[in-house]
């Protein structure tokens, strides 16, 4: 009898992979060297963290969605629509501030609900469905703003984007709290286990009695709400609402998740990785700015780094498969 | 007429072994211009023989001769070039393309400009279809055809390469009875055009009426090749299962079913084309076997019970009350568990850990407001891994990296953890290494002793007779008989299943 080859037994890949941490440090050192240390001054670190908050929040929702083999392209549109409606309500209709905040969050939840129900119940492809809702929300936001920028948000609204708490910006605290929530949700809650199962093998998850439909709707609602929270921070930082809010954010959020080790094939990765992925993207932007490099080439450089990160990931995976 | 007796293919004492076990042992097989059926039990060597013929496997010993000349096939392509064609059991066509596109894929007619000449391509395609008197428009989408016609188009495709040998692997398993008749007619037509046909089927009646000669394989050896006209079904069954073995006394390990309470009753289950008024009941703590050959409907029974197949009529009672599962989740909530025969696609979550796989359906029980009690989870996983002796005893490993047997234990453990009342196992030993099969079965017995009612769906007659308290045989979607393994032979059940 031939002795069967022992297969190398492997651990699962639900925690942050080493790959993204390595990339993070490479970029950190590289940027620090190239900017002559400017990038690692405290003020700049805080700046990078603040800039990471909006994409980071969106990346949290995106991570949940991608783990379930889906995608949410509507995050930027949701941020735009939330901002527009929130600003109009605050400045022109005398609605109490906290109620405006609530409305902004509800908008995110509603768009997420529409996405989730269309994808989970009508079985629409996530890519197409969320692309359509991106256009709908973006278009509505443009229509509401009518090309104008709306100023005059109440003083108190500055709390999310401009105030500090224990000498750390409130927005960074917010990202931290939601990221921690996401990590806990995936690791310690029934919901998280079921989500990985759904992404890892949808048919088997369904046959295990998991309520696939309900869970799927919930992740899109979470993704929508995260975008609305991001909208709170953006409008607070610039104290106005304008049409450019949220533009292109979906791709940065997806790139963050993928750089952070969340597999587009589903069932792998986590929130912590996605946040580090966001930091990588923002650090590159920030470093290029500090070096005074033309903003026109920055997009191409960012694209190149994303390309490299994903290539590394694919090669690593193939090696593991070959083992 | 003499030419009809020419030997087209001769497998001269061909052998093939896997890991020291002979899958095929010195089999001498002759194919003339005839319809030649190969029959045998699961694992008798049918598929090995076919794979050698089509160049997918290389024999360890013996020689393949084509028209009297020795040949060696290095790949399926080699065999194709030697005019050996096969129609697979599973259709491998393009549902989204037309018949012409399916048939003419590599050989469209072209105009001088390089564009595809559709008119000519359709015309050629129609000619191929007409060879087996198929009257279908070549522009029809493959997916718009009923399964039986798709099957026939596959025939036409295989024939269009002018094969000398055509191998048909269980072509009728998905067809209705009238469709089967049409298919037999086509097979005879193909033979009359001078093609040697190898027909593989479990259905002995069709084998006898269709074939010129029949070869029976058992345990990798040829039992006999005889003219179909000289054979009756009993002789073939005897060839397949061997001389009825003396019944060993089973009293020693026969289990007493705890009670006669009926936990599950199925009344006249009917699924179009698949099941025809199947009724049975399941007692508490009983191991019930549902057995039959492929296409008998055994898998469908499990799918109806677990809410996967919802398009059925008939009535299910669970503990005496009406039970109508709308989806697997409702079935799980009612205390049922199901292990699919497709472990990789529908059982394990390969990237998740063994522990997470085991605890997956029990998460509700061990969590409060969604927060999993880690200690409870760990203890439960550890104790279950101990009970089922899952190796290696490390709940952190990805289940996809374990052996087939241990993966299967992990999937069964999911329902042990859930403490289901009724466990449905479809082909629980498929893809499980020989050594682990007994372990799976002793685990099942242990579960039944603890009061779980088990339904084993399997076409492994011998195994199922070893482990079950009661066995129901399905044939063509209907109940063909019921057996008590203590006092009967699996060979009799097999005879009913292929009747």
């Amino acid at each position: 009898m031939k002795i069967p080859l022992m297969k190398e037994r492997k651990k699962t890949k639900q925690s942050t992979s080493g790959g993204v941490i390595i990339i993070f440090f490479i970029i950190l050192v590289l940027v620090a060297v190239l900017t002559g240390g400017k990038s690692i001054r405290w003020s700049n670190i805080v700046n990078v963290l603040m800039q990471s908050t909006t994409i980071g929040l969106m990346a949290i929702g995106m991570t949940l969605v991608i783990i379930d083999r889906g995608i949410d392209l509507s995050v930027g549109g949701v941020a735009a629509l939330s901002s527009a409606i929130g600003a109009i309500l605050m400045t022109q209709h005398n609605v109490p501030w906290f109620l405006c905040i609530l409305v902004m969050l509800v908008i995110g939840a509603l768009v997420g609900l529409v996405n989730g129900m269309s994808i989970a119940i009508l079985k629409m492809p996530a890519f197409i469905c969320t692309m359509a809702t991106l256009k709908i929300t973006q278009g509505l936001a443009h229509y509401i703003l009518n090309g104008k920028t709306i100023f005059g948000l109440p003083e108190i609204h500055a709390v999310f984007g401009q105030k500090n708490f224990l000498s750390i910006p409130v927005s960074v605290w917010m990202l931290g709290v939601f990221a921690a929530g996401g990590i806990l949700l995936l690791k310690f809650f029934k919901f998280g286990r079921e989500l990985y199962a759904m992404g890892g093998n949808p048919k088997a998850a369904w046959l295990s009695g998991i309520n696939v439909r309900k869970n799927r709707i919930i992740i899109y609602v979470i993704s929508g709400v995260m975008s609305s929270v991001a909208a709170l921070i953006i409008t607070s930082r610039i104290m106005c609402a304008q049409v450019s809010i949220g533009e292109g954010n979906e791709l940065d959020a997806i790139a963050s998740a993928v750089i952070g080790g969340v597999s587009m094939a589903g069932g792998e990765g986590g929130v912590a990785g996605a946040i580090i992925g966001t930091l990588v993207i923002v650090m590159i932007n920030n470093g290029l700015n500090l070096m005074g490099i033309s903003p026109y080439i920055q997009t191409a450089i960012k694209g190149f780094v994303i390309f490299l990160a994903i290539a590394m990931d694919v090669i690593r995976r193939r090696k593991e498969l070959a083992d | 007429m003499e030419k009809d007796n020419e030997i087209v293919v001769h497998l001269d004492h061909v052998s093939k072994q896997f890991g020291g076990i002979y899958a095929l042992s010195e089999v001498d097989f002759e194919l003339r211009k005839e319809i030649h059926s190969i029959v045998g039990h699961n694992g008798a060597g049918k598929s090995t023989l076919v794979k050698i013929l089509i160049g997918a496997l290389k024999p360890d010993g013996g020689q393949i001769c084509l028209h009297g000349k020795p040949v060696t096939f290095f790949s399926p392509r080699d065999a194709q070039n030697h005019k050996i064609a096969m129609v697979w059991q599973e259709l491998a066509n393009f549902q989204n393309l037309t018949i012409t596109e399916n048939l003419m894929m590599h050989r469209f007619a072209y105009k001088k400009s390089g564009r595809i000449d559709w008119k000519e391509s359709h015309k050629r395609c129609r000619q191929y279809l007409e060879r087996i008197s198929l009257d279908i428009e070549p522009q029809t989408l493959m997916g718009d055809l009923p399964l039986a016609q798709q099957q026939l188009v596959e025939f036409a495709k295989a024939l269009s390469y002018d094969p000398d040998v055509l191998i048909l692997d269980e072509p009728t398993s998905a067809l209705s009875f009238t469709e089967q008749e049409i298919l037999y007619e086509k097979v005879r037509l193909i033979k009359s055009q001078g093609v040697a046909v190898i027909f593989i089927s479990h259905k002995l009646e069709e084998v006898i009426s269709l074939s010129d000669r029949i070869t029976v394989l058992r345990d990798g050896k040829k039992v006999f090749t005889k003219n179909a006209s000289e054979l009756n079904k009993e002789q073939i069954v005897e060839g397949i299962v061997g001389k009825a073995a003396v019944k060993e006394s089973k009293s020693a390990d026969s289990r007493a079913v705890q009670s006669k309470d009926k936990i599950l009753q199925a009344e006249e289950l009917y699924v179009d084309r698949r099941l025809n008024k199947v009724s049975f009941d399941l007692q508490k703590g009983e191991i019930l076997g549902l057995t039959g050959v492929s296409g008998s409907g055994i898998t469908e029974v499990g799918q109806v019970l677990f809410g996967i197949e919802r398009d059925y009529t008939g009535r299910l009672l669970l503990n005496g009350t009406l039970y109508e599962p709308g989806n697997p989740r409702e079935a799980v909530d009612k205390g049922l568990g199901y292990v699919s025969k497709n472990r990789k696609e529908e059982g394990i979550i390969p990237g998740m850990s063994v522990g997470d796989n085991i605890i997956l359906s029990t998460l509700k029980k061990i969590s409060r407001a969604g927060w999993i009690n880690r200690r409870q989870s760990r203890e439960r996983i550890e104790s279950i891994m101990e009970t089922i002796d899952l190796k290696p005893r490390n709940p952190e490993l990805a289940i996809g990296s374990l052996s087939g047997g241990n993966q299967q234990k992990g999937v069964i453990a999911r329902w042990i953890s859930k403490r289901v009342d009724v466990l449905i196992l479809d082909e629980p030993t498929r893809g499980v290494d020989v050594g682990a099969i007994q372990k799976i079965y002793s685990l099942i017995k242990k579960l039944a002793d603890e009061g779980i009612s088990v339904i084993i769906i399997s076409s492994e007659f011998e195994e199922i007779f070893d482990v079950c308290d009661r066995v129901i045989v399905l044939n063509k979607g209907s109940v063909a008989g019921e057996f008590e393994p203590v006092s009967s032979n699996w060979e009799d059940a097999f005879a009913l299943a292929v009747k």
Side-chain angles (χ1 to χ4, degrees):
Chain A
M1 284 277 302
K2 244 173 37 180
I3 298 163
L5 282 170
M6 285 294 279
K7 268 195 271 179
E8 196 200 335
R9 306 223 156 84
K10 288 184 204 85
K11 301 245 174 149
T12 56
K13 284 186 231 105
Q14 285 155 19
S15 44
T16 309
S17 69
V20 65
I21 296 171
I22 295 168
I23 295 171
F24 174 79
F25 280 108
I26 292 174
I27 300 285
L28 183 73
V29 172
L30 205 65
V31 170
V33 170
L34 289 175
T35 59
K38 270 191 254 173
S39 70
I40 45 173
R41 288 188 197 147
W42 177 245
S43 63
N44 190 59
I45 290 174
V46 171
N47 192 18
V48 165
L49 286 175
M50 276 177 70
Q51 283 175 21
S52 303
T53 51
T54 52
I55 299 299
L57 284 164
M58 291 174 182
I60 294 171
M62 194 67 77
T63 299
L64 304 187
V65 171
I66 296 180
I67 287 175
D68 179 40
R69 302 189 176 185
I71 195 132
D72 187 356
L73 298 176
S74 72
V75 290
V78 172
L81 187 63
S82 295
S83 309
I85 291 179
I88 296 272
L89 290 179
M90 283 178 208
T91 55
Q92 294 168 18
H93 295 275
N94 268 335
V95 181
W97 176 72
F98 72 90
L99 212 61
C100 298
I101 302 302
L102 197 68
V103 169
M104 287 175 75
L105 295 178
V106 168
I107 289 167
L110 280 179
V111 177
L113 191 67
V114 171
N115 282 338
M117 297 205 341
S118 313
I119 292 160
I121 298 172
L122 298 181
K123 313 273 183 224
M124 280 167 84
F127 189 94
I128 307 294
C129 170
T130 58
M131 187 168 68
T133 50
L134 166 66
K135 293 294 167 196
I136 294 169
T137 47
Q138 218 169 33
L140 283 176
H142 285 196
Y143 176 74
I144 291 166
L145 294 175
N146 200 13
K148 294 197 264 300
T149 301
I150 298 185
F151 291 102
L153 304 187
E155 199 65 14
I156 185 172
H157 194 63
V159 64
F160 301 119
Q162 299 181 22
K163 297 286 190 285
N164 283 359
F165 178 67
L166 304 176
S167 48
I168 287 173
V170 173
S171 58
V172 176
W173 282 110
M174 286 165 75
L175 176 64
V177 168
F178 282 110
I183 292 167
L184 291 180
L185 185 66
L186 286 184
K187 203 159 170 65
F188 296 105
F189 279 80
K190 168 172 165 276
F191 180 80
R193 296 295 92 197
E194 294 186 348
L195 198 57
Y196 281 111
M198 286 161 57
N201 189 345
K203 188 88 192 277
W206 182 65
L207 287 173
S208 307
I210 290 173
N211 196 336
V212 172
R213 216 179 253 197
K214 187 178 93 187
N215 288 356
R216 191 158 289 156
I217 293 172
I218 291 174
I219 54 175
Y220 284 94
V221 170
I222 292 176
S223 179
V225 172
M226 285 298 108
S227 307
S228 286
V229 175
L232 292 181
I233 294 174
I234 303 169
T235 50
S236 168
R237 191 179 302 149
I238 57 181
M239 281 309 260
C240 65
Q242 58 190 34
V243 287
S244 67
I245 287 177
E247 257 177 28
N249 285 1
E250 59 280 348
L251 295 184
D252 280 340
I254 294 166
S256 302
V258 173
I259 290 176
V262 183
S263 164
M264 296 296 284
E268 274 179 32
V271 166
I275 299 290
I276 301 175
T278 309
L279 289 175
V280 167
I281 289 183
V282 174
M283 273 190 326
I284 295 167
N285 266 345
N286 175 262
L288 295 172
N289 279 334
L290 289 178
M291 285 181 258
I293 287 171
S294 155
Y296 297 115
I297 194 66
Q298 287 190 13
T299 314
I301 294 175
K302 196 165 80 181
F304 182 66
V305 173
I306 293 171
F307 183 87
L308 270 187
I310 295 167
M312 274 172 65
D313 186 55
V314 171
I315 292 165
R316 179 180 58 86
R317 257 172 236 278
R318 182 129 31 101
K319 267 196 190 144
E320 275 176 13
L321 269 180
D323 281 345
Chain B
M1 249 5 244
E2 218 202 347
K3 214 157 180 281
D4 284 354
N5 273 330
E6 183 210 353
I7 293 167
V8 182
V9 178
H10 182 200
L11 294 185
D12 191 358
H13 294 90
V14 165
S15 300
K16 178 76 192 172
Q17 49 174 326
F18 296 106
I21 295 165
Y22 278 96
L24 219 51
S25 170
E26 306 236 327
V27 169
D28 201 64
F29 173 79
E30 280 178 4
L31 178 68
R32 300 181 187 143
K33 291 192 173 168
E34 61 184 344
I35 299 175
H36 194 145
S37 289
I38 303 178
V39 293
H41 197 37
N42 287 349
K46 288 176 303 191
S47 55
T48 311
L49 188 145
V50 167
K51 279 178 184 160
I52 287 174
L53 256 177
I54 61 163
L57 283 178
K58 262 197 78 177
D60 301 327
Q63 179 65 53
I64 310 171
C65 296
L66 266 182
H67 305 291
K69 289 188 208 95
V71 287
T72 311
F73 298 146
F74 292 102
S75 70
R77 198 167 196 101
D78 271 354
Q80 266 172 33
N81 293 338
H82 282 96
K83 294 184 174 285
I84 295 178
M86 169 144 189
V87 176
W88 295 91
Q89 186 177 5
E90 313 274 333
L91 292 177
N93 56 25
F94 302 102
Q95 298 273 310
N96 56 336
L97 300 180
T98 64
I99 295 175
T100 302
E101 286 167 310
N102 268 285
L103 241 77
M104 311 289 292
M105 190 56 89
H106 305 291
R107 44 183 172 156
F108 287 116
Y110 290 96
K111 290 184 174 168
K112 277 211 182 83
S113 62
R115 283 188 302 148
I116 291 176
D117 185 345
W118 284 110
K119 215 173 135 197
E120 179 64 23
S121 298
H122 287 316
K123 202 180 115 198
R124 288 189 203 167
C125 176
R126 186 172 286 122
Q127 286 167 357
Y128 288 140
L129 294 176
E130 276 165 3
R131 268 192 72 177
I132 54 166
S133 315
L134 260 186
D135 187 22
I136 314 174
E137 263 315 299
Q139 277 116 313
T140 321
L141 278 185
M142 199 66 152
D144 287 346
L145 293 178
L147 201 62
Q149 299 226 354
Q150 290 188 32
Q151 184 77 267
L152 295 177
V153 171
E154 292 284 313
F155 279 22
K157 186 178 177 183
L159 275 183
S160 71
Y161 291 96
D162 277 319
D164 292 338
V165 179
L166 181 65
I167 303 167
L168 305 172
D169 183 12
E170 299 212 32
T172 60
S173 60
L175 304 185
S176 74
F177 306 118
T178 32
E179 289 167 341
Q180 287 175 18
E181 279 309 320
I182 297 171
L183 188 130
Y184 300 150
E185 191 190 303
K186 304 295 183 198
V187 174
R188 290 191 188 104
L189 184 63
I190 291 168
K191 179 202 145 194
S192 73
Q193 294 171 0
V195 179
V197 179
I198 294 179
F199 192 79
I200 296 171
S201 173
H202 277 301
K203 297 173 187 159
L204 296 188
E205 252 158 32
E206 71 176 28
V207 162
I208 291 173
S209 72
L210 188 62
S211 317
D212 299 310
R213 289 196 299 164
I214 297 170
T215 292
V216 177
L217 297 178
R218 183 174 70 234
D219 299 332
K221 295 191 182 78
K222 182 168 97 173
V223 183
F224 59 73
T225 297
K226 282 184 180 159
N227 286 333
S229 52
E230 299 163 11
L231 283 168
N232 61 30
K233 213 165 56 204
E234 286 67 34
Q235 290 166 302
I236 300 179
V237 169
E238 199 187 297
I240 293 172
V241 301
K243 285 258 182 285
V246 183
K247 190 78 194 161
E248 290 166 39
S249 165
K250 273 204 178 160
S251 53
D253 67 327
S254 81
R255 306 165 337 97
V257 176
Q258 291 167 345
S259 69
K260 289 279 173 191
D261 295 343
K262 286 175 187 164
I263 183 158
L264 185 73
Q265 289 157 274
E267 294 172 4
E268 308 213 319
L269 297 182
Y270 176 89
V271 174
D272 190 31
R273 287 159 171 265
R274 295 303 198 171
L275 287 183
N276 192 12
K277 304 210 163 157
V278 171
S279 303
F280 61 90
D281 49 49
L282 175 69
Q283 283 151 22
K284 205 169 177 327
E286 181 186 35
I287 305 177
L288 174 67
L290 282 181
T291 186
V293 295
S294 67
S296 62
I298 47 177
T299 290
E300 284 79 3
V301 172
Q303 290 178 334
V304 166
L305 293 179
F306 200 59
I308 302 166
E309 172 64 70
R310 290 166 61 189
D311 214 5
Y312 71 92
T313 59
R315 214 158 67 115
L316 293 173
L317 297 174
L318 189 65
N319 289 316
T321 56
L322 194 62
Y323 164 68
E324 293 175 307
N327 56 41
R329 183 164 49 87
E330 287 174 25
V332 172
D333 288 343
K334 289 265 163 68
L336 276 80
Y338 173 83
V339 174
S340 159
K341 62 180 168 186
N342 305 315
R343 179 167 57 246
K344 223 170 172 178
E345 293 81 17
E346 303 178 349
I348 57 166
I349 321 273
M352 283 179 91
S353 70
V354 174
D356 281 339
N357 266 283
I358 291 177
I359 209 79
L360 193 58
S361 299
T362 325
L363 289 169
K364 206 179 201 166
K365 221 184 274 180
I366 56 159
S367 54
R368 262 176 64 183
W371 175 274
I372 299 168
N373 184 328
R374 302 267 283 177
R375 192 178 51 84
Q376 227 176 316
S377 161
R378 200 182 49 240
E379 282 169 2
R380 188 181 276 248
I381 290 167
E382 272 166 11
S383 89
I384 286 171
M385 286 179 79
E386 191 69 43
T387 325
I388 64 175
D389 190 28
L390 200 150
K391 280 170 190 158
R393 199 71 43 89
N394 179 356
E396 303 288 322
L397 296 172
I399 198 168
S401 66
L402 303 189
S403 69
N406 280 311
Q407 287 183 9
Q408 188 70 310
K409 283 182 182 174
V411 179
I412 296 175
R414 189 179 294 159
W415 302 117
I416 303 177
S417 167
K418 178 75 175 55
R419 304 208 175 110
V420 291
D421 304 318
V422 178
L423 183 56
I424 305 159
L425 305 164
D426 197 355
E427 303 286 356
T429 57
R430 176 181 288 186
V432 168
D433 33 313
V434 186
I437 290 178
Q438 270 320 309
K439 289 181 186 160
I440 301 267
Y441 283 132
S442 40
L443 172 63
I444 292 169
K445 280 185 185 162
K446 196 160 142 190
L447 294 177
D449 288 339
E450 286 164 14
I452 296 176
S453 314
V454 182
I455 298 178
I456 303 179
I457 296 167
S458 172
S459 48
E460 302 290 344
F461 290 80
E462 206 170 351
E463 288 179 21
I464 224 173
F465 264 70
D466 263 355
V467 70
C468 292
D469 303 315
R470 199 153 57 90
V471 174
I472 292 173
V473 178
L474 261 63
N475 184 349
K476 293 172 193 149
S478 304
V479 173
E482 191 177 319
F483 292 84
E484 303 241 342
V486 187
S487 54
S488 53
N489 295 310
W490 70 268
E491 291 86 348
D492 301 333
F494 184 78
L496 271 185
V498 293
K499 195 168 180 177

